[in-house]
Amino acid sequence: MTVAYRHYDPPALSDHLRNAQGMTRPLMLEIIDKACRRFHSLGQTERTARLMRLIDAEAWADAALALMELELPLWHVRRIAYDEGEWHCALSRERELPDWLDAAVEGCHGDLALALLSAFVEVQALAVEAPRPSVPNVRPAPDPLYEPAACENFS
């Protein structure tokens, strides 16, 4: 984990994205520096090199999607919609579920790449708020007075 990630302030980065007029290289590198854990630990791989090529080409939406693929392998784009001058992007872990059952995370902005990255930053903020332990939880020992009983009647 990088030092920058430990001091990551999700609301400040979300506000910064919300107030940005358009995507720029410094803004994309700031997001990578502040909100990404995997990018730095992977080193120079084909996936990180591809992302940097997309950034160099200013292919912002493709770079945002590549960054999400790299950083959030369990999350998928559920919906991208354009409505009244804004892009709305939803990310989900269970995109096969109906909308009303899914706990999708949304981002919106007038710029597609910034809408994608707003949703990305929201998902990363969830990870910061609710860290998972590195060791699995162990079930407590059952109550010694508890005895399971079978209730089937096969007669």
Side-chain angles (χ1 to χ4, degrees):
M1 185 181 293
T2 66
V3 174
Y5 192 78
R6 279 188 229 141
H7 299 293
Y8 172 45
D9 182 11
L13 189 54
S14 291
D15 288 342
H16 191 75
L17 287 172
R18 193 175 305 109
N19 295 326
Q21 295 299 313
M23 181 53 70
T24 62
R25 180 183 175 84
L27 181 56
M28 179 63 92
L29 295 178
E30 178 183 354
I31 292 166
I32 290 171
D33 187 48
K34 290 185 177 177
C36 297
R37 294 179 286 186
R38 292 176 177 235
F39 184 85
H40 301 292
S41 66
L42 288 174
Q44 188 65 20
T45 64
E46 178 54 37
R47 293 170 73 189
T48 57
R50 176 178 173 264
L51 177 59
M52 294 311 293
R53 285 192 304 273
L54 290 169
I55 292 170
D56 291 340
E58 296 183 359
W60 302 125
D62 290 335
L65 291 168
L67 184 62
M68 285 189 278
E69 182 182 335
L70 184 71
E71 287 288 321
L72 305 172
L74 299 177
W75 290 78
H76 307 282
V77 174
R78 180 176 180 89
R79 180 178 57 256
I80 297 176
Y82 186 75
D83 186 33
E84 296 184 13
E86 279 198 331
W87 288 97
H88 299 268
C89 301
L91 302 180
S92 171
R93 289 183 68 146
E94 302 290 336
R95 74 176 170 193
E96 301 304 322
L97 288 176
D99 279 346
W100 59 276
L101 281 176
D102 190 19
V105 176
E106 280 205 42
C108 61
H109 197 279
D111 182 271
L112 175 58
L114 288 171
L116 287 164
L117 289 169
S118 292
F120 167 78
V121 167
E122 291 300 317
V123 170
Q124 292 291 66
L126 291 174
V128 169
E129 290 171 9
R132 293 188 185 119
S134 60
V135 178
N137 291 334
V138 178
R139 292 183 182 161
D143 185 356
L145 299 176
Y146 172 77
E147 186 174 326
C151 299
E152 291 89 12
N153 184 0
F154 293 109
S155 51

